[in-house]
Amino acid sequence: MRTPGQLSTSWTALFYILGVFVSFLSFGVAVKENDFKKCSQSGFCKRNRAYADKATIQGSSWHSPYKIVPAEAPLTDGQFRATILKTIDDQGTTVELPLTVSFHKSGTARVTVDEKRRQEKDIEVRHNSAARKERYNEADKWAVVGGLELDAEAKVTHIGQAGIKIQYGPGFAFEADINYDPYSIEFKRDGSTQLKLNDRGLMNLEHWRPKIEKPVAEKQEGEEDTEEKTEDSAVEEVGEDESTWWEEEFGGNKDSKPRGPESVALDITFFGYEHVYGIPEHAGPLSLKETRGGDGAYTDPYRLYNSDVFEYVLDSPMTLYGAIPLMQAHRKDSTVAVFWLNAAETWVDITKAKESKNPLSLGKGGKTNTQTHWISESGLMDLFVFLGPTPRDISKAYGELTGTTAMPQEFAIGYHQCRWNYVSDDDVKEVDRKMDRYSIPYDVIWLDIEYTDEKKYFTWDKDMFRDPIGMGQHLDAHGRKLVVIIDPHIKNTGGYPVIDELKSNGLAVKNKEGKDFDGWCWPGSSMWVDCFNPAAIKWWKSLFQYDKFLGTMENTWLWNDMNEPSVFNGPEVTMPKDNLHHDSWEHRDVHNINGMTFHNATYEALLSRKKGELRRPFVLTRSFYAGSQRLGAMWTGDNQASWDHLGAAVPMILNQGVSGFPFSGADVGGFFGNPEAELQSRWYQAGAFYPFFRGHAHIDARRREPFMLAEPYRGIVTSALRLRYSLLPAWYTAFHEAHTEGSPIIRPMYWTHPGAEGGFGVDNQFFVGSTGILVKPVVEEGKRTEDVYIPDDQVYYDYFTYEKLATAKGKNITVDAPLESIPVFMRGGHIFPRRDIPRRSAQLMRFDDYTLVVVIGKDGTAEGKLYADDGDSFDYEQGQYIHRTFKLDGSKLTSTDAEGRDTAAIKEGSWLQNMHDVAVDKVIVVGAPSSWASKKEVQLEAEGKQSTVKVEYFKGEGKRAPFVIVGRVGARIGADWTIEIA
């Protein structure tokens, strides 16, 4: 959210803790990478990189020390079970590692490796720690919700002394070839190898071993200290350098490591795949870079360790606020993926190797293999394999496994106005009035931490927010909502019932001694709710009841920040790894899931805040993990008011979408700093196409609500906002697709056009859902033209002018991009819905009529969908929704139920009844054929009745395509109808 180095001098509540923050004042105005670990400073990452280096140096002579003992019953009911033996010394001593390979009806395969001795709790934990002896095995309880039904029809096609081959999946198209010595698994689709586990023999599971105290040799007088070793020399001492086995220090904090070294690492090679995507969150390109140095490559692995990183570095593998360990590999017409289910700190190395079978080809025409190396500090070696073959297949299967994005309240996809901080309830009401005065639509205004009484959550500042109910009622009268922030740190102070209850009920995170952990955050001395504990969730839910959290109303919603968790005086600004959570799991085991547990607790709390209430929650989170998409929205954190950060936002949001968490956005205008008017205008134009659309600013930034801009910039921003609102029906339909299919809401070129190789590296433009709307935000200062990549040979039109673009498949075109406009285009063959009456909020548009925009494709057809429900409740789960398919075939335009339901048989609730009065106002057909020029009326058949509707034809002029406007149509939006134009 912000940096402790930028505390406002007006924050008298924090003066008494400033001494504690002295060491943090060096944070300044930009993140210092030295405050966060590099791989060389992370013991387990350094060890495993050295292990990989040793294997590479030895080349073909390297032999992985892992082999399978052939199982007596190799495959039972869709599961292969065996034991991997790890040889740990020259005498042949082995460690037993239970292996389970599960084949699911969904087409996924799961590979899990554990450690027998730890399964049986047959180890000693040092320092009298209460930490669990097992490897953490509960990540799936948080991340996985389905898709685990075993494929009992999976079959063995070959078994021998060297290994076993198992076919599974749809039509037995998938195959797992399990090699015994050395252990590896090769996954094939239609007989072709797609990826291989332990391909390069880099698998490394650090088994438990007792610490043996070694005598320290006395130095002779004058003898030089030879203990210090360089990173390079560590390659020669793999398995022997114990310097980071038993304890580790960073930034003055010591990690006691009561179980010693316990990392898991595995190399995975994607054969013939040059592009890989995913593993958010990082501020870099969509197509992931190599990480072992070289031209344009990073030198450190991608890191996944949820952290409070402010004003983050761009184009970097540095960790940010969330972690989704899902990686997709893509080549022309083929996509596969791996989901590495581990909640501990994780690093991922990526290299690419050119392969050529023809020794005379000199590398030309050879395929590229992407080699990855996954390294986690603790836990199981647990991963899922997806064999596609399309990006849509991956998204669907991953959504079935971890859940799809929550169906949001409709207001949540409107515009959110935020800053740190609106200073009073009068300030909030004045902002609301001015937004109306300048006819600027918005749905939500937000309050940061200053609304509380001395940073005590569930309270209000009695001087500045004297009447929160009156403030909420003022907003409600305009159809608007309020979001307030509540973070996981609870102020440790007397006379505060929340901290008293947290302590007395034993619901706080514990330190390594088992006592309540006390750290420092915004309130000063704080304790953290342990939301891994079901009792803590139950208690947390009680705090949000309307009669408990006084001042909140039905239009009050929530923002969870700082939930990585951020601990100002902790190692890397987070919690010590040897802290203890519910059931005695160490924090190191669960760190990346921690933020999701807090997000989940708040989501559960907002489902019902009074008896009889059940509504869709809205909760924004900063920290996240796989599965967080089920709970709400995220944003990309503490960005800067700079053109570079504007440019970085779209690749980050696209990456969130293809990684299963599409309800995402970036702070419009940049959190830190003061954007000039052009930057702010361009950012609103881009933000109008973020799934989550919020303007936000730092406490030290100048006020920059849209109405404060001078003309022409205020008008430009207002136009961008109105464009967003007119397209809300299309956005809501895209969210429904994400909810039901797991698909991204804004879609990169490789996802929509998996055969168009020129688009695989394109990450600065996107399609909105299935609408055919193509967007290319302008992200460079002073730029007035844009180059747009066209992935196919379909026809494209300018959204605003209907100009037909001169396009060619796989080529870029240059288009005008004046400051007052954003390049937005319509792809032929699509139909999308709009609502064209300007309103002040989404709630006030709920029963407005619709406009349908039909963009005729080259073959004379077009198709699209509309999904609508009450935008608030869960009644859609009982069939209370409208879901239409619109089709144009030749001259006939039809509307039918998208699911083939008998809508007349649905018992209608109040919302469906009200929708009887909502109709199609008009239909705009772009690219209309000249044969329609003479038409003055068209025939409408709706609900058994026939009528005529006026039609007006506009011939093409210059580059503008011909179009027609049909209307007023008047057909009920939820009914079947047909318009015959010819």
Side-chain angles (χ1 to χ4, degrees):
M1 181 168 66
R2 46 252 148 183
T3 159
Q6 293 183 309
L7 298 175
S8 168
T9 56
S10 66
W11 290 7
T12 56
L14 286 182
F15 279 0
Y16 75 100
I17 62 169
L18 285 179
V20 177
F21 291 130
V22 168
S23 63
F24 293 94
L25 294 178
S26 61
F27 280 178
V29 296
V31 65
K32 292 186 176 180
E33 291 187 80
N34 291 337
D35 296 323
F36 297 89
K37 288 182 180 179
K38 300 285 191 180
C39 180
S40 61
Q41 298 167 303
S42 174
F44 76 94
C45 183
K46 180 179 178 180
R47 294 194 302 271
N48 280 285
R49 257 196 166 187
Y51 188 88
D53 290 342
K54 182 177 181 179
T56 301
I57 290 170
Q58 293 189 14
S60 59
S61 65
W62 171 258
H63 188 83
S64 174
Y66 298 86
K67 65 179 180 180
I68 287 179
V69 177
E72 292 182 3
L75 182 68
T76 304
D77 296 328
Q79 274 192 333
F80 171 83
R81 293 181 181 272
T83 297
I84 298 174
L85 296 182
K86 175 188 179 184
T87 303
I88 62 173
D89 58 29
D90 293 339
Q91 289 72 45
T93 306
T94 59
V95 171
E96 294 185 32
L97 308 174
L99 166 71
T100 304
V101 184
S102 304
F103 303 98
H104 305 129
K105 287 187 175 180
S106 62
T108 61
R110 183 180 190 178
V111 180
T112 306
V113 182
D114 206 337
E115 183 178 353
K116 183 178 180 182
R117 192 164 180 180
R118 290 188 60 177
Q119 278 184 331
E120 297 173 349
K121 304 179 184 180
D122 182 25
I123 68 168
E124 297 176 5
V125 180
R126 299 163 57 243
H127 310 307
N128 297 314
S129 171
R132 291 279 286 266
K133 296 181 177 182
E134 308 98 307
R135 287 183 174 271
Y136 182 62
N137 55 15
E138 296 183 357
D140 57 357
K141 292 184 179 180
W142 293 98
V144 176
V145 295
L148 297 182
E149 186 178 357
L150 292 173
D151 181 4
E153 296 183 359
K155 61 185 181 182
V156 176
T157 59
H158 173 80
I159 188 169
Q161 291 300 309
I164 183 173
K165 297 181 178 182
I166 300 168
Q167 289 185 343
Y168 66 102
F172 298 104
F174 302 158
E175 182 178 301
D177 293 359
I178 303 173
N179 191 70
Y180 291 163
D181 188 10
Y183 159 73
S184 66
I185 306 180
E186 194 170 335
F187 285 92
K188 299 180 177 181
R189 187 183 66 230
D190 297 326
S192 176
T193 300
Q194 305 297 317
L195 62 95
K196 186 177 180 180
L197 313 184
N198 205 29
D199 175 52
R200 295 179 288 154
L202 307 186
M203 176 174 170
N204 185 31
L205 187 147
E206 293 184 320
H207 61 281
W208 181 83
R209 78 291 310 273
K211 182 179 182 183
I212 300 174
E213 300 296 342
K214 297 179 180 179
V216 179
E218 293 185 11
K219 295 179 185 176
Q220 301 298 319
E221 187 174 348
E223 183 178 343
E224 291 186 7
D225 186 351
T226 59
E227 290 295 312
E228 195 170 319
K229 297 177 175 62
T230 66
E231 184 178 354
D232 292 337
S233 68
V235 175
E236 301 299 321
E237 301 202 9
V238 173
E240 296 181 11
D241 179 5
E242 301 182 14
S243 61
T244 58
W245 280 13
W246 309 108
E247 63 181 30
E248 199 166 344
E249 288 194 42
F250 183 79
N253 291 274
K254 181 179 288 188
D255 178 6
S256 63
K257 295 191 174 183
R259 297 178 304 228
E262 54 180 327
S263 71
V264 293
L266 181 68
D267 67 283
I268 304 171
T269 298
F270 298 97
F271 291 96
Y273 292 91
E274 186 171 357
H275 291 273
V276 288
Y277 311 98
I279 59 169
E281 184 183 27
H282 302 95
L286 177 65
S287 182
L288 301 175
K289 291 187 174 185
E290 295 184 72
T291 60
R292 281 289 202 154
D295 187 24
Y298 301 139
T299 56
D300 237 36
Y302 284 94
R303 190 184 187 202
L304 297 172
Y305 188 63
N306 297 355
S307 300
D308 181 3
V309 184
F310 48 89
E311 285 194 293
Y312 44 81
V313 178
L314 300 182
D315 194 14
S316 169
M318 183 180 181
T319 189
L320 290 178
Y321 311 96
I324 301 177
L326 172 73
M327 179 182 286
Q328 297 186 38
H330 184 74
R331 65 175 182 235
K332 182 176 171 62
D333 295 323
S334 181
T335 315
V336 296
V338 168
F339 172 45
W340 179 265
L341 181 56
N342 191 295
E345 179 185 353
T346 297
W347 302 77
V348 185
D349 260 323
I350 300 172
T351 56
K352 298 178 182 181
K354 202 77 169 178
E355 182 180 296
S356 175
K357 295 182 179 179
N358 181 357
L360 301 179
S361 68
L362 301 178
K364 294 181 180 180
K367 66 179 182 179
T368 297
N369 299 332
T370 295
Q371 302 167 332
T372 64
H373 188 198
W374 301 70
I375 309 167
S376 293
E377 184 175 16
S378 65
L380 302 176
M381 185 178 294
D382 194 5
L383 64 124
F384 291 80
V385 174
F386 306 81
L387 294 180
T390 69
R392 186 179 294 273
D393 292 328
I394 301 295
S395 295
K396 184 176 181 181
Y398 179 75
E400 184 178 357
L401 185 71
T402 66
T404 58
T405 196
M407 195 64 207
Q409 292 209 27
E410 194 165 17
F411 78 80
I413 64 174
Y415 173 63
H416 301 247
Q417 180 61 51
C418 183
R419 74 171 281 111
W420 176 32
N421 203 87
Y422 290 113
V423 299
S424 67
D425 46 14
D426 287 337
D427 191 10
V428 168
K429 289 185 282 188
E430 181 63 14
V431 170
D432 180 74
R433 282 190 286 263
K434 285 186 175 178
M435 294 290 273
D436 281 348
R437 185 181 307 161
Y438 289 95
S439 300
I440 301 172
Y442 87 105
D443 265 270
V444 193
I445 193 165
W446 293 52
L447 293 178
D448 214 316
I449 53 176
E450 309 307 321
Y451 79 91
T452 62
D453 177 16
E454 297 182 337
K455 312 301 184 295
K456 292 180 288 191
Y457 298 116
F458 304 99
T459 69
W460 298 85
D461 184 306
K462 297 179 180 62
D463 294 323
M464 306 308 293
F465 290 88
R466 291 170 292 182
D467 184 16
I469 291 294
M471 173 180 62
Q473 290 172 338
H474 170 94
L475 295 172
D476 192 50
H478 297 172
R480 296 191 174 120
K481 320 297 179 187
L482 177 73
V483 166
V484 298
I485 195 169
I486 290 188
D487 294 340
H489 48 261
I490 305 300
K491 185 170 185 174
N492 188 15
T493 187
Y496 179 29
V498 177
I499 192 67
D500 294 340
E501 293 175 17
L502 181 73
K503 292 178 181 178
S504 63
N505 292 315
L507 303 178
V509 177
K510 311 302 179 187
N511 62 21
K512 62 185 178 183
E513 286 86 24
K515 300 176 182 178
D516 289 344
F517 170 70
D518 189 299
W520 296 86
C521 208
W522 295 120
S525 174
S526 303
M527 292 181 178
W528 275 258
V529 188
D530 185 4
C531 292
F532 287 91
N533 187 344
I537 296 175
K538 182 178 180 180
W539 169 74
W540 191 249
K541 289 166 63 174
S542 73
L543 300 179
F544 288 85
Q545 297 293 298
Y546 297 123
D547 58 3
K548 189 78 176 282
F549 188 1
L550 300 178
T552 62
M553 299 171 45
E554 286 83 351
N555 67 336
T556 308
W557 301 99
L558 263 294
W559 172 17
N560 288 163
D561 197 357
M562 315 294 283
N563 52 333
E564 292 75 25
S566 176
V567 182
F568 291 164
N569 63 334
E572 299 191 89
V573 202
T574 193
M575 195 169 279
K577 289 181 174 180
D578 48 11
N579 273 7
L580 296 171
H581 288 271
H582 177 66
D583 274 350
S584 298
W585 293 113
E586 269 199 305
H587 185 73
R588 88 178 68 252
D589 298 320
V590 302
H591 175 85
N592 284 344
I593 289 179
N594 182 84
M596 181 170 74
T597 68
F598 183 64
H599 193 197
N600 172 71
T602 306
Y603 175 91
E604 292 287 332
L606 297 189
L607 284 168
S608 181
R609 289 177 276 177
K610 66 180 180 181
K611 187 176 181 180
E613 181 183 71
L614 181 62
R615 300 171 67 199
R616 295 178 229 172
F618 174 77
V619 191
L620 179 73
T621 185
R622 187 171 72 176
S623 182
F624 55 87
Y625 188 71
S628 291
Q629 67 271 11
R630 305 188 302 265
L631 306 172
M634 62 75 62
W635 91 108
T636 62
D638 297 346
N639 59 359
Q640 300 179 43
S642 73
W643 289 95
D644 286 345
H645 275 258
L646 169 58
V650 165
M652 294 177 73
I653 295 168
L654 289 174
N655 206 16
Q656 288 292 135
V658 301
S659 301
F661 197 168
F663 195 1
S664 56
D667 283 344
V668 170
F671 178 63
F672 288 105
N674 298 297
E676 64 270 26
E678 181 185 354
L679 174 58
Q680 189 171 354
S681 300
R682 287 301 198 191
W683 214 319
Y684 270 91
Q685 290 174 341
F689 291 93
Y690 297 168
F692 174 61
F693 184 18
R694 181 182 77 157
H696 189 31
H698 186 272
I699 195 169
D700 292 332
R702 294 192 297 266
R703 293 291 287 257
R704 53 165 120 120
E705 289 76 17
F707 53 76
M708 299 190 70
L709 285 163
E711 293 294 358
Y713 302 103
R714 184 171 63 234
I716 291 169
V717 168
T718 302
S719 294
L721 286 161
R722 288 180 178 170
L723 176 61
R724 170 65 167 226
Y725 275 82
S726 70
L727 287 170
L728 281 185
W731 280 102
Y732 201 66
T733 302
F735 269 88
H736 179 256
E737 291 176 10
H739 175 65
T740 56
E741 302 172 11
S743 55
I745 294 168
I746 62 172
R747 302 172 177 178
M749 299 300 101
Y750 93 88
W751 202 96
T752 58
H753 293 77
E757 294 177 279
F760 295 171
V762 174
D763 59 8
N764 56 6
Q765 62 182 60
F766 50 85
F767 285 97
V768 177
S770 298
T771 61
I773 294 174
L774 176 64
V775 184
K776 176 67 183 290
V778 179
V779 297
E780 296 178 49
E781 184 176 8
K783 196 165 188 184
R784 298 297 182 263
T785 61
E786 271 295 342
D787 294 330
V788 182
Y789 172 76
I790 302 298
D792 54 35
D793 59 2
Q794 186 55 270
V795 62
Y796 285 80
Y797 300 94
D798 183 278
Y799 179 89
F800 303 101
T801 66
Y802 304 160
E803 176 185 330
K804 184 179 179 180
L805 305 181
T807 61
K809 180 179 179 179
K811 303 294 184 181
N812 286 342
I813 61 167
T814 300
V815 299
D816 290 334
L819 180 59
E820 61 272 13
S821 181
I822 179 174
V824 181
F825 311 100
M826 302 180 292
R827 181 178 183 269
H830 294 269
I831 302 174
F832 58 88
R834 291 192 321 217
R835 277 176 160 154
D836 289 343
I837 301 173
R839 303 285 189 188
R840 66 175 68 175
S841 69
Q843 180 174 315
L844 301 181
M845 300 170 66
R846 293 175 69 223
F847 299 113
D848 282 350
D849 289 341
Y850 290 88
T851 293
L852 297 181
V853 180
V854 180
V855 188
I856 299 180
K858 281 189 171 182
D859 63 357
T861 67
E863 184 173 341
K865 284 185 169 61
L866 165 72
Y867 175 84
D869 59 31
D870 67 13
D872 181 84
S873 75
F874 289 93
D875 289 353
Y876 66 90
E877 295 178 349
Q878 281 73 50
Q880 299 296 298
Y881 60 85
I882 290 171
H883 195 193
R884 310 302 298 176
T885 293
F886 308 111
K887 288 186 179 179
L888 175 72
D889 190 354
S891 61
K892 181 183 290 187
L893 178 64
T894 61
S895 172
T896 57
D897 188 83
E899 301 164 31
R901 300 177 300 164
D902 179 6
T903 55
I906 298 172
K907 184 177 180 180
E908 296 184 334
S910 60
W911 179 82
L912 272 179
Q913 292 173 4
N914 287 331
M915 289 298 287
H916 277 266
D917 296 327
V918 178
V920 178
D921 177 43
K922 61 178 177 286
V923 177
I924 301 171
V925 184
V926 181
S930 58
S931 58
W932 295 1
S934 60
K935 301 293 294 186
K936 302 299 181 185
E937 292 181 339
V938 296
Q939 295 298 310
L940 168 67
E941 182 179 344
E943 300 183 86
K945 299 179 181 178
Q946 292 193 355
S947 59
T948 58
V949 179
K950 290 184 178 180
V951 60
E952 187 172 6
Y953 180 90
F954 297 85
K955 67 179 181 179
E957 293 183 357
K959 295 181 179 179
R960 192 195 72 192
F963 65 98
V964 301
I965 298 178
V966 181
R968 167 175 172 83
V969 176
R972 193 162 57 88
I973 191 63
D976 290 355
W977 49 260
T978 300
I979 294 176
E980 186 64 60
I981 299 177

